[in-house]
Each structure stands twice: as structure tokens, then as C-alpha cells.
Amino acid sequence: MKFFEKVAAGVLSFTVMLGAANTEAATPKVEKRVAINSASRLMTYYENNKKIAVYPLGLGKTYTPTPVGYFKILEKVINPTWIDPSDPEYEVPSGPGNPLGYRWMQIRGNYGIHGTNRPESIGGYVSNGCIRMLEKDVEELYKMVDVGTPVDITYNRVVVEKVEDGNVAYWIYPDGYGWQNIDVDYVNRWLEPYGVAPFESDSSIEEKIQTSDGQPTYIGKPYNIEVNGRRIDAVKANGKDFFAKAVVRDDINYLPVVPIAMALRTKLEWREGEATLKTKYGTVTGILKKNQIYCNADDAIILLNIDGGLQNVSDKPEDGKIFKFYTANNPLDKPAKPEKKSKTKKADKNKTAEIKADDKKSDEIKSDKKAKKDKKSKKDKKSKDKKVKDKKTKDTKSKDKKSDEK
């Protein structure tokens, strides 16, 4: 009995372990990444490319800058001991006086991410090259990352992002290390992939470069466009590139008309002096922004004979939205060319034509017969009438004669 109990216990144990293994295998792996921008002095922690947290940093002085490149966490230490780089014999154990705080994560040689006993230094260029964090922040990060987690360090004065509500914002930071000169064209190149560059004037960009205050400027919400189920893409016309993003800004839906008109093969006329757009369907007000031509999406039915608007991509809210349009019924549209008919259909058509011709001929014969019959009937009636008349005349004469004899 004991033997069977041991076997049963062993089988149960194996089943539980197998179930645990299957559960672990079914758990999707989380891709973790740390991104540091030395120009903004900010760290962003990502999981599966989703922004989880943003932390302010204290980085290397201008003469001992934090290195840029692609690193990874090599070691994690709680309550580290600080060793003075200029005097290796001098050590400070963990505690309030330790410059490393209570967490250390090595990324290369003597460089690492750590806490600090000088929280007021966060936000400046203050270290010998290491990455300082507020103690509460470094302890939070320490729990989330693993040995081997990538750490990417860049130096970008211009940052462009699509924030949670769909708006595109951009930041310009001061050139703390003196490594990156930027101009208006450089900033526009960062904005163009988002489709919002036409909505920020060059003068506004120039002013922002001069300020370099690291504050966000919100431009608008860009959306993709579909017409009759087909995605509208950027095009080149008359030597110019035309963007294909609709942009919502100040409660106005701006629609890029050139790529849509080209997709629909509709001739479009832009009258710059009048600021109007014209097609065979109608004329509306046009809006020119940095050589890009837009109309209000509400006027799409008049200008391009398409109807629709902003809709969800799918039932999942996280999939976002898209402008969807469909061609409306309009008598100005040319009818579609009929499909070529097969020889069989053509023969059938000829046969039908012959039948119709025979029917017509039959009708003509019937008509002739009827006409002849009517003519004969009329003639017979006339002849009969004459006979009756002649008889009446004869009778009258005979009667008169008899009267004379008397």
C-alpha cells in the first residue's frame, strides 16, 4: 500500500511540476530597455516598446561627459561601497554619506547608474560621467531591470513624440556639451515623418531654437487616410513632395487634397490668389501650409465626391483611429466601361435580334392580311349596298309602270 502511495505522490508531483513549466513557458517574455538622452538629462524605461517611466538625471560634467553608445547592465549591487577614483585607498561604506546612494548598476568599467546623497544635483551636468538618479527612482528602476537589460545613451537636442492623446509634440534642449548645432531645416526633418511639419511655421521653430527651454510644443494630431478601402500614401507632383496625413488641430480636420485627388484620378486646380480648390465636382476654400495644400474634411464631399470621417481602426481602442472615406453617388462620374462579352453571349444577342426581326416580319404579314381582309370586307359591303340600291330602284320603276297601265 505504501508503495502505491509513493508512486501516486510521485505522479502528482510530476504533474504539478509539468503544469508549472507549461505556465512559465506560456508567459510572454518582456522586452526591457533603458534609453538616456544626455541633452535632455532624462531616462526613459520601456517594456515591449511601451513607455513605463521617465526619470530626471544628473550626468557627467562638460569635461567628464557621460559616454554615448549602446551598453547593457553588467552588474547590480545593493548598498554599494564608494571608492574615490582619485584615491583608490579611500572608501565610503553604504550609508547617508555614500555618493552612490543605496543602488548601483554597472554599464561599463567605472560607469554606472546609481543613487545619490545630493538630490539637488539631479538635472545638471555634475558627475564624473556616471548617471545619477534620485534615490526613490533608482530603487524603483533597480527592481524592474535585469542584468543584461540594454542601456542606450544618445545626445539629441530635438525630441519629437506622439503623446497619449495622439498629439505630436516636440522639445528642443540646450546644447549642454556643445556637441550639436541645429537649424530650422534640421527640426523640420524630425517633424516630417509625423506629417505635422506644415503646421509649425519656420519662424516659430527658429524662436524655439533660440529659447531651447526643453518645454513641449504641441502641433496637432495626425491620422492615416483610407479612400474606398485603399491607404493614401505620400506622392510627388510637379517636383514637390506632398504628405498624406490628415491633421486635427484647433478642432479643424485638415485633409491633404493632392494625394487623394491623384488616387481618385481627379483633376485638381489650386488657385493660390483666390485660395480656392476646384474639381469637376465643385469649388471650396483651400489652405496652404508650407507648400502643402489642404481643405477642411467637411468639404471633401463637395471637392472630391467622397464622404466619411474619423473612425476607429478596429474594435480595440489601442489600435487608434483613421479617416475613412467612400465615393458618393454623383451623376458627374463617368459610367464604368462595360465588360467585354464572350462570343457565346454575342451569338445569343444576334439570335435574339433575329427572333425579334422574325417577330417584326410576322407582325407585318399579319398586318397585311388584316388590311386585305378589311379591304375585301369593305368592298363586299359596298357591292351589297349597290345591289340593294339597284333592287330598290327596279322595284320603284316597276311600281310606277304598273301605275301607268292602270
Side-chain angles (χ1 to χ4, degrees):
M1 186 69 178
K2 290 183 179 180
F3 172 76
F4 288 107
E5 288 177 354
K6 287 182 180 180
V7 171
V11 171
L12 179 61
S13 176
F14 175 75
T15 303
V16 171
M17 291 176 65
L18 182 61
N22 287 340
T23 303
E24 185 177 351
T27 303
K29 184 179 179 181
V30 178
E31 297 291 339
K32 301 177 180 182
R33 179 169 63 92
V34 173
I36 295 170
N37 183 359
S38 295
S40 66
R41 286 145 289 161
L42 292 173
M43 171 193 289
T44 306
Y45 171 66
Y46 296 91
E47 288 184 357
N48 296 331
N49 289 323
K50 182 180 179 180
K51 187 187 294 185
I52 302 300
V54 178
Y55 304 111
L57 306 173
L59 299 177
K61 303 180 184 75
T62 55
Y63 52 89
T64 58
T66 298
V68 297
Y70 301 99
F71 311 97
K72 62 182 178 180
I73 294 176
L74 302 174
E75 180 186 36
K76 294 173 65 180
V77 179
I78 296 176
N79 298 328
T81 297
W82 180 73
I83 300 174
D84 189 346
S86 61
D87 183 7
E89 298 295 324
Y90 182 71
E91 296 183 2
V92 177
S94 178
N98 190 316
L100 301 180
Y102 297 94
R103 298 293 185 273
W104 164 263
M105 289 165 276
Q106 181 194 20
I107 61 170
R108 190 188 78 179
N110 291 327
Y111 294 102
I113 303 168
H114 60 81
T116 181
N117 60 350
R118 293 179 53 204
E120 73 282 356
S121 67
I122 300 300
Y125 295 109
V126 291
S127 74
N128 290 322
C130 282
I131 299 138
R132 294 183 186 177
M133 299 180 70
L134 293 171
E135 193 59 38
K136 65 178 181 63
D137 293 342
V138 75
E139 291 186 18
E140 181 177 270
L141 179 69
Y142 189 94
K143 294 176 183 177
M144 295 188 291
V145 299
D146 308 307
V147 171
T149 297
V151 178
D152 303 335
I153 305 177
T154 59
Y155 187 84
N156 294 315
R157 291 183 61 197
V158 180
V159 174
V160 184
E161 288 184 7
K162 182 181 280 191
V163 296
E164 287 185 2
D165 69 348
N167 242 310
V168 172
Y170 78 109
W171 293 254
I172 297 181
Y173 295 96
D175 196 4
Y177 285 160
W179 288 355
Q180 192 178 61
N181 291 321
I182 60 174
D183 57 17
V184 171
D185 288 341
Y186 181 83
V187 176
N188 274 321
R189 287 197 295 273
W190 275 85
L191 295 174
E192 283 175 3
Y194 293 86
V196 297
F199 292 83
E200 183 72 351
S201 69
D202 289 347
S203 59
S204 296
I205 293 174
E206 180 60 44
E207 183 179 348
K208 193 167 177 67
I209 291 173
Q210 296 301 321
T211 306
S212 294
D213 57 3
Q215 296 301 309
T217 296
Y218 299 93
I219 303 176
K221 301 177 182 180
Y223 296 95
N224 290 324
I225 305 168
E226 276 186 9
V227 176
N228 297 327
R230 175 186 170 188
R231 168 80 173 269
I232 300 299
D233 296 318
V235 297
K236 196 177 188 72
N238 299 327
K240 297 178 182 178
D241 293 319
F242 289 92
F243 304 144
K245 297 278 189 182
V247 177
V248 178
R249 174 171 170 150
D250 299 329
D251 296 325
I252 299 174
N253 299 332
Y254 293 88
L255 208 61
V257 293
V258 175
I260 299 176
M262 291 182 69
L264 293 171
R265 296 184 179 181
T266 299
K267 184 179 178 182
L268 179 71
E269 183 181 347
W270 162 242
R271 298 176 179 177
E272 187 170 352
E274 302 173 9
T276 59
L277 290 161
K278 182 180 179 181
T279 65
K280 65 180 180 179
Y281 301 111
T283 302
V284 302
T285 300
I287 305 158
L288 182 65
K289 290 182 176 291
K290 285 187 179 179
N291 295 322
Q292 301 292 311
I293 306 172
Y294 299 86
C295 76
N296 191 315
D298 294 340
D299 293 334
I301 186 68
I302 301 171
L303 183 68
L304 298 165
N305 191 39
I306 54 175
D307 199 7
L310 192 59
Q311 302 176 26
N312 291 324
V313 173
S314 70
D315 295 334
K316 299 177 181 178
E318 62 268 22
D319 290 340
K321 295 185 176 183
I322 189 172
F323 272 92
K324 288 187 178 182
F325 293 94
Y326 295 92
T327 298
N329 293 326
N330 194 308
L332 291 175
D333 280 331
K334 292 181 180 179
K337 292 183 179 180
E339 296 181 1
K340 291 183 178 180
K341 296 182 179 179
S342 64
K343 291 183 179 179
T344 305
K345 288 186 177 180
K346 189 173 181 181
D348 290 343
K349 184 179 179 182
N350 292 336
K351 189 175 181 181
T352 303
E354 289 173 3
I355 293 170
K356 286 183 178 179
D358 289 341
D359 290 342
K360 186 177 179 183
K361 191 173 180 180
S362 177
D363 290 340
E364 288 175 355
I365 291 169
K366 287 179 181 179
S367 180
D368 287 343
K369 285 183 178 179
K370 186 179 179 183
K372 286 180 181 179
K373 187 176 180 182
D374 291 342
K375 189 176 181 182
K376 185 180 179 182
S377 178
K378 191 175 180 181
K379 187 177 179 181
D380 292 343
K381 185 179 180 184
K382 189 175 181 181
S383 177
K384 187 177 180 182
D385 290 342
K386 187 179 179 183
K387 286 181 179 180
V388 170
K389 187 178 180 182
D390 290 345
K391 187 179 180 183
K392 283 182 178 181
T393 303
K394 189 177 179 181
D395 290 342
T396 303
K397 285 182 178 182
S398 175
K399 191 175 181 182
D400 291 341
K401 188 177 178 182
K402 285 180 179 181
S403 179
D404 291 339
E405 289 176 352
K406 286 180 180 181

